CSV table of all heavy atoms in Angstrom, one decimal:
chain,number,residue,atom,x,y,z
A,1,ASN,N,239.1,-67.9,63.8
A,1,ASN,CA,238.6,-67.5,62.4
A,1,ASN,C,239.2,-68.3,61.3
A,1,ASN,O,238.9,-68.1,60.2
A,1,ASN,CB,238.7,-66.0,62.2
A,1,ASN,CG,240.1,-65.5,62.4
A,1,ASN,OD1,241.1,-66.2,62.2
A,1,ASN,ND2,240.2,-64.2,62.8
A,2,THR,N,240.1,-69.2,61.7
A,2,THR,CA,240.7,-70.2,60.7
A,2,THR,C,240.8,-71.5,61.4
A,2,THR,O,241.0,-71.6,62.6
A,2,THR,CB,242.1,-69.8,60.2
A,2,THR,OG1,243.0,-69.7,61.3
A,2,THR,CG2,242.0,-68.5,59.4
A,3,ALA,N,240.6,-72.6,60.7
A,3,ALA,CA,240.7,-74.0,61.3
A,3,ALA,C,240.9,-75.0,60.1
A,3,ALA,O,240.8,-74.6,58.9
A,3,ALA,CB,239.5,-74.3,62.1
A,4,THR,N,241.1,-76.2,60.5
A,4,THR,CA,241.2,-77.3,59.5
A,4,THR,C,240.1,-78.3,59.7
A,4,THR,O,239.7,-78.6,60.9
A,4,THR,CB,242.5,-78.0,59.6
A,4,THR,OG1,243.6,-77.1,59.4
A,4,THR,CG2,242.6,-79.2,58.6
A,5,LEU,N,239.4,-78.7,58.6
A,5,LEU,CA,238.4,-79.7,58.7
A,5,LEU,C,238.9,-80.9,58.0
A,5,LEU,O,239.3,-80.9,56.9
A,5,LEU,CB,237.1,-79.1,57.9
A,5,LEU,CG,236.0,-80.1,57.8
A,5,LEU,CD1,235.3,-80.3,59.1
A,5,LEU,CD2,234.9,-79.5,56.8
A,6,SER,N,238.8,-82.0,58.8
A,6,SER,CA,239.2,-83.3,58.2
A,6,SER,C,238.3,-84.4,58.7
A,6,SER,O,237.2,-84.1,59.2
A,6,SER,CB,240.7,-83.6,58.6
A,6,SER,OG,240.8,-83.6,60.0
A,7,SER,N,238.6,-85.7,58.4
A,7,SER,CA,237.7,-86.8,58.7
A,7,SER,C,237.1,-86.8,60.0
A,7,SER,O,237.8,-86.6,61.1
A,7,SER,CB,238.5,-88.1,58.5
A,7,SER,OG,237.7,-89.2,58.6
A,8,GLY,N,235.8,-87.0,60.1
A,8,GLY,CA,235.0,-87.1,61.3
A,8,GLY,C,234.6,-85.8,62.0
A,8,GLY,O,234.1,-85.8,63.1
A,9,GLN,N,234.9,-84.7,61.3
A,9,GLN,CA,234.6,-83.4,61.9
A,9,GLN,C,233.6,-82.6,61.1
A,9,GLN,O,233.2,-83.0,60.0
A,9,GLN,CB,235.9,-82.6,61.9
A,9,GLN,CG,237.0,-83.2,62.7
A,9,GLN,CD,238.4,-82.4,62.6
A,9,GLN,OE1,238.6,-81.7,61.6
A,9,GLN,NE2,239.2,-82.6,63.5
A,10,ASP,N,233.0,-81.6,61.7
A,10,ASP,CA,232.1,-80.7,61.0
A,10,ASP,C,232.6,-79.3,61.1
A,10,ASP,O,233.3,-78.9,62.0
A,10,ASP,CB,230.6,-80.8,61.6
A,10,ASP,CG,230.5,-80.3,63.0
A,10,ASP,OD1,230.4,-79.0,63.1
A,10,ASP,OD2,230.4,-81.1,63.9
A,11,ALA,N,232.2,-78.5,60.1
A,11,ALA,CA,232.8,-77.2,59.9
A,11,ALA,C,232.5,-76.2,61.0
A,11,ALA,O,233.4,-75.5,61.5
A,11,ALA,CB,232.3,-76.6,58.6
A,12,TYR,N,231.2,-76.1,61.5
A,12,TYR,CA,230.9,-75.2,62.5
A,12,TYR,C,231.6,-75.4,63.8
A,12,TYR,O,232.2,-74.5,64.5
A,12,TYR,CB,229.4,-75.1,62.7
A,12,TYR,CG,228.6,-74.6,61.5
A,12,TYR,CD1,227.7,-75.4,60.9
A,12,TYR,CD2,228.8,-73.3,61.0
A,12,TYR,CE1,227.0,-75.0,59.8
A,12,TYR,CE2,228.1,-72.9,59.9
A,12,TYR,CZ,227.2,-73.7,59.3
A,12,TYR,OH,226.5,-73.2,58.2
A,13,THR,N,231.6,-76.7,64.2
A,13,THR,CA,232.3,-77.0,65.5
A,13,THR,C,233.8,-76.7,65.5
A,13,THR,O,234.3,-76.3,66.5
A,13,THR,CB,232.0,-78.5,65.8
A,13,THR,OG1,230.6,-78.8,65.9
A,13,THR,CG2,232.7,-78.9,67.1
A,14,GLN,N,234.4,-77.0,64.3
A,14,GLN,CA,235.8,-76.7,64.2
A,14,GLN,C,236.2,-75.2,64.5
A,14,GLN,O,237.3,-74.9,64.9
A,14,GLN,CB,236.4,-77.1,62.8
A,14,GLN,CG,236.4,-78.6,62.6
A,14,GLN,CD,237.3,-79.3,63.7
A,14,GLN,OE1,236.7,-79.9,64.6
A,14,GLN,NE2,238.6,-79.1,63.6
A,15,LEU,N,235.2,-74.3,64.2
A,15,LEU,CA,235.4,-72.9,64.5
A,15,LEU,C,234.8,-72.5,65.8
A,15,LEU,O,234.9,-71.3,66.2
A,15,LEU,CB,234.7,-72.1,63.3
A,15,LEU,CG,235.4,-72.3,62.0
A,15,LEU,CD1,234.4,-71.7,60.9
A,15,LEU,CD2,236.7,-71.6,61.9
A,16,GLY,N,234.3,-73.4,66.6
A,16,GLY,CA,233.7,-73.1,67.9
A,16,GLY,C,232.3,-72.7,67.9
A,16,GLY,O,231.8,-72.2,68.9
A,17,LEU,N,231.6,-72.8,66.7
A,17,LEU,CA,230.3,-72.3,66.6
A,17,LEU,C,229.3,-73.4,67.0
A,17,LEU,O,229.5,-74.6,66.7
A,17,LEU,CB,230.0,-71.8,65.2
A,17,LEU,CG,230.9,-70.7,64.7
A,17,LEU,CD1,230.7,-70.5,63.2
A,17,LEU,CD2,230.5,-69.4,65.4
A,18,THR,N,228.1,-72.9,67.6
A,18,THR,CA,227.1,-73.9,68.0
A,18,THR,C,226.5,-74.5,66.8
A,18,THR,O,226.2,-73.9,65.8
A,18,THR,CB,226.0,-73.1,68.7
A,18,THR,OG1,226.5,-72.4,69.8
A,18,THR,CG2,224.9,-74.1,69.2
A,19,GLU,N,226.3,-75.8,66.9
A,19,GLU,CA,225.6,-76.6,65.8
A,19,GLU,C,224.2,-76.2,65.8
A,19,GLU,O,223.5,-76.0,66.8
A,19,GLU,CB,225.8,-78.1,66.0
A,19,GLU,CG,227.2,-78.5,65.9
A,19,GLU,CD,227.3,-80.0,66.2
A,19,GLU,OE1,226.5,-80.6,66.9
A,19,GLU,OE2,228.3,-80.6,65.7
A,20,PRO,N,223.6,-76.0,64.6
A,20,PRO,CA,222.2,-75.6,64.5
A,20,PRO,C,221.2,-76.8,64.9
A,20,PRO,O,221.6,-77.9,64.9
A,20,PRO,CB,222.0,-75.3,63.0
A,20,PRO,CG,223.0,-76.1,62.3
A,20,PRO,CD,224.2,-76.2,63.3
A,21,GLY,N,220.0,-76.4,65.2
A,21,GLY,CA,218.9,-77.3,65.4
A,21,GLY,C,219.1,-78.3,66.5
A,21,GLY,O,219.4,-77.9,67.7
A,22,SER,N,219.1,-79.6,66.2
A,22,SER,CA,219.1,-80.6,67.3
A,22,SER,C,220.5,-80.9,67.8
A,22,SER,O,220.7,-81.8,68.6
A,22,SER,CB,218.5,-81.9,66.7
A,22,SER,OG,219.2,-82.4,65.6
A,23,GLY,N,221.5,-80.2,67.3
A,23,GLY,CA,222.8,-80.4,67.7
A,23,GLY,C,223.6,-81.2,66.7
A,23,GLY,O,224.8,-81.5,67.0
A,24,THR,N,223.0,-81.6,65.7
A,24,THR,CA,223.7,-82.3,64.6
A,24,THR,C,223.9,-81.4,63.4
A,24,THR,O,223.0,-80.6,63.1
A,24,THR,CB,222.9,-83.6,64.2
A,24,THR,OG1,221.6,-83.2,63.7
A,24,THR,CG2,222.8,-84.6,65.3
A,25,ASP,N,225.0,-81.5,62.8
A,25,ASP,CA,225.3,-80.6,61.7
A,25,ASP,C,225.6,-81.4,60.4
A,25,ASP,O,226.2,-82.4,60.4
A,25,ASP,CB,226.6,-79.8,62.1
A,25,ASP,CG,227.1,-78.9,61.0
A,25,ASP,OD1,226.3,-78.5,60.2
A,25,ASP,OD2,228.3,-78.6,61.0
A,26,SER,N,225.0,-80.9,59.3
A,26,SER,CA,225.2,-81.6,58.0
A,26,SER,C,226.4,-81.1,57.3
A,26,SER,O,226.8,-81.7,56.2
A,26,SER,CB,223.9,-81.4,57.1
A,26,SER,OG,223.7,-80.0,56.8
A,27,GLU,N,227.1,-80.0,57.8
A,27,GLU,CA,228.3,-79.5,57.1
A,27,GLU,C,229.5,-80.3,57.6
A,27,GLU,O,230.4,-79.7,58.2
A,27,GLU,CB,228.4,-78.0,57.3
A,27,GLU,CG,227.3,-77.1,56.7
A,27,GLU,CD,227.2,-77.2,55.2
A,27,GLU,OE1,227.9,-77.9,54.6
A,27,GLU,OE2,226.4,-76.5,54.7
A,28,THR,N,229.5,-81.6,57.3
A,28,THR,CA,230.5,-82.5,57.8
A,28,THR,C,231.6,-82.7,56.7
A,28,THR,O,231.3,-82.5,55.5
A,28,THR,CB,229.9,-83.8,58.2
A,28,THR,OG1,229.3,-84.4,57.0
A,28,THR,CG2,228.9,-83.7,59.3
A,29,PHE,N,232.7,-83.2,57.1
A,29,PHE,CA,233.8,-83.5,56.1
A,29,PHE,C,233.3,-84.6,55.2
A,29,PHE,O,233.5,-84.5,54.0
A,29,PHE,CB,235.0,-84.0,56.9
A,29,PHE,CG,236.1,-84.5,56.0
A,29,PHE,CD1,236.9,-83.5,55.3
A,29,PHE,CD2,236.4,-85.8,55.8
A,29,PHE,CE1,238.0,-83.9,54.5
A,29,PHE,CE2,237.4,-86.2,54.9
A,29,PHE,CZ,238.2,-85.3,54.3
A,30,GLY,N,232.5,-85.6,55.7
A,30,GLY,CA,232.0,-86.6,54.9
A,30,GLY,C,231.1,-86.1,53.8
A,30,GLY,O,231.2,-86.6,52.6
A,31,ASN,N,230.2,-85.2,54.2
A,31,ASN,CA,229.3,-84.7,53.2
A,31,ASN,C,230.0,-83.9,52.1
A,31,ASN,O,229.7,-83.9,50.9
A,31,ASN,CB,228.2,-83.8,53.8
A,31,ASN,CG,227.1,-84.7,54.5
A,31,ASN,OD1,226.9,-85.9,54.2
A,31,ASN,ND2,226.3,-84.1,55.3
A,32,TRP,N,231.0,-83.1,52.6
A,32,TRP,CA,231.7,-82.3,51.6
A,32,TRP,C,232.5,-83.1,50.6
A,32,TRP,O,232.6,-82.8,49.4
A,32,TRP,CB,232.7,-81.3,52.4
A,32,TRP,CG,232.0,-80.1,53.0
A,32,TRP,CD1,230.6,-80.0,53.2
A,32,TRP,CD2,232.5,-78.9,53.5
A,32,TRP,NE1,230.3,-78.8,53.8
A,32,TRP,CE2,231.5,-78.1,54.0
A,32,TRP,CE3,233.9,-78.5,53.6
A,32,TRP,CZ2,231.7,-76.9,54.6
A,32,TRP,CZ3,234.1,-77.2,54.2
A,32,TRP,CH2,233.0,-76.4,54.6
A,33,VAL,N,233.1,-84.2,51.1
A,33,VAL,CA,233.8,-85.1,50.2
A,33,VAL,C,232.8,-85.7,49.2
A,33,VAL,O,233.1,-85.8,48.0
A,33,VAL,CB,234.6,-86.2,51.0
A,33,VAL,CG1,235.1,-87.3,50.1
A,33,VAL,CG2,235.7,-85.6,51.8
A,34,GLY,N,231.7,-86.1,49.7
A,34,GLY,CA,230.7,-86.7,48.9
A,34,GLY,C,230.2,-85.8,47.8
A,34,GLY,O,230.0,-86.2,46.6
A,35,GLY,N,230.0,-84.5,48.2
A,35,GLY,CA,229.6,-83.5,47.2
A,35,GLY,C,230.7,-83.2,46.1
A,35,GLY,O,230.4,-83.1,44.9
A,36,ASP,N,232.0,-83.3,46.6
A,36,ASP,CA,233.1,-83.1,45.6
A,36,ASP,C,233.1,-84.2,44.6
A,36,ASP,O,233.2,-84.0,43.4
A,36,ASP,CB,234.4,-83.0,46.4
A,36,ASP,CG,234.7,-81.5,46.8
A,36,ASP,OD1,234.2,-80.6,46.1
A,36,ASP,OD2,235.4,-81.4,47.8
A,37,THR,N,233.1,-85.5,45.1
A,37,THR,CA,233.3,-86.6,44.2
A,37,THR,C,232.1,-86.7,43.3
A,37,THR,O,232.2,-87.1,42.1
A,37,THR,CB,233.5,-87.9,45.0
A,37,THR,OG1,232.4,-88.1,46.0
A,37,THR,CG2,234.8,-87.9,45.8
A,38,LYS,N,230.9,-86.4,43.8
A,38,LYS,CA,229.7,-86.4,42.9
A,38,LYS,C,229.8,-85.5,41.7
A,38,LYS,O,229.3,-85.7,40.7
A,38,LYS,CB,228.4,-86.1,43.7
A,38,LYS,CG,227.1,-86.1,42.9
A,38,LYS,CD,225.9,-85.8,43.8
A,38,LYS,CE,225.9,-84.3,44.1
A,38,LYS,NZ,224.6,-83.9,44.7
A,39,ASN,N,230.6,-84.4,42.0
A,39,ASN,CA,230.7,-83.4,40.9
A,39,ASN,C,232.0,-83.4,40.2
A,39,ASN,O,232.5,-82.5,39.6
A,39,ASN,CB,230.5,-82.0,41.5
A,39,ASN,CG,229.0,-81.7,41.8
A,39,ASN,OD1,228.2,-81.5,40.9
A,39,ASN,ND2,228.6,-81.8,43.1
A,40,GLY,N,232.7,-84.6,40.3
A,40,GLY,CA,233.9,-84.8,39.5
A,40,GLY,C,235.2,-84.4,40.1
A,40,GLY,O,236.3,-84.5,39.4
A,41,PHE,N,235.3,-84.1,41.3
A,41,PHE,CA,236.5,-83.7,42.0
A,41,PHE,C,237.1,-84.9,42.7
A,41,PHE,O,236.4,-85.8,43.2
A,41,PHE,CB,236.3,-82.6,43.0
A,41,PHE,CG,235.9,-81.3,42.4
A,41,PHE,CD1,234.5,-80.9,42.5
A,41,PHE,CD2,236.8,-80.4,41.8
A,41,PHE,CE1,234.1,-79.7,42.0
A,41,PHE,CE2,236.3,-79.2,41.2
A,41,PHE,CZ,235.0,-78.9,41.3
A,42,ALA,N,238.4,-85.0,42.7
A,42,ALA,CA,239.0,-86.1,43.5
A,42,ALA,C,238.7,-85.9,45.0
A,42,ALA,O,238.6,-84.7,45.5
A,42,ALA,CB,240.6,-86.1,43.3
A,43,ALA,N,238.6,-86.9,45.8
A,43,ALA,CA,238.3,-86.8,47.2
A,43,ALA,C,239.4,-86.0,47.9
A,43,ALA,O,240.6,-86.4,47.8
A,43,ALA,CB,238.2,-88.2,47.8
A,44,PRO,N,239.1,-84.9,48.6
A,44,PRO,CA,240.1,-84.2,49.3
A,44,PRO,C,240.5,-84.9,50.6
A,44,PRO,O,239.8,-85.7,51.1
A,44,PRO,CB,239.4,-82.8,49.5
A,44,PRO,CG,238.0,-83.2,49.7
A,44,PRO,CD,237.8,-84.3,48.7
A,45,THR,N,241.7,-84.5,51.1
A,45,THR,CA,242.1,-85.0,52.4
A,45,THR,C,241.8,-84.1,53.5
A,45,THR,O,241.7,-84.5,54.7
A,45,THR,CB,243.7,-85.2,52.4
A,45,THR,OG1,244.3,-83.9,52.1
A,45,THR,CG2,244.1,-86.2,51.3
């Protein structure tokens, strides 16, 4: 019920949850970093 998400990983898989749909997940570290920087936050590690 807790985990760490970092480069190259997706949130659901890190918690052991099945990825939705075709097996690809958009809740990735890369997308989250992109969303943060687009909205004025420094890129997280």
Side-chain angles (χ1 to χ4, degrees):
N1 51 30
T2 60
T4 299
L5 176 68
S6 56
S7 181
Q9 299 172 337
D10 68 77
Y12 294 119
T13 301
Q14 288 304 105
L15 293 166
L17 298 169
T18 304
E19 295 176 332
S22 62
T24 58
D25 175 26
S26 62
E27 298 295 4
T28 62
F29 178 78
N31 281 345
W32 284 16
V33 171
D36 273 334
T37 55
K38 182 180 76 171
N39 287 283
F41 297 101
T45 57

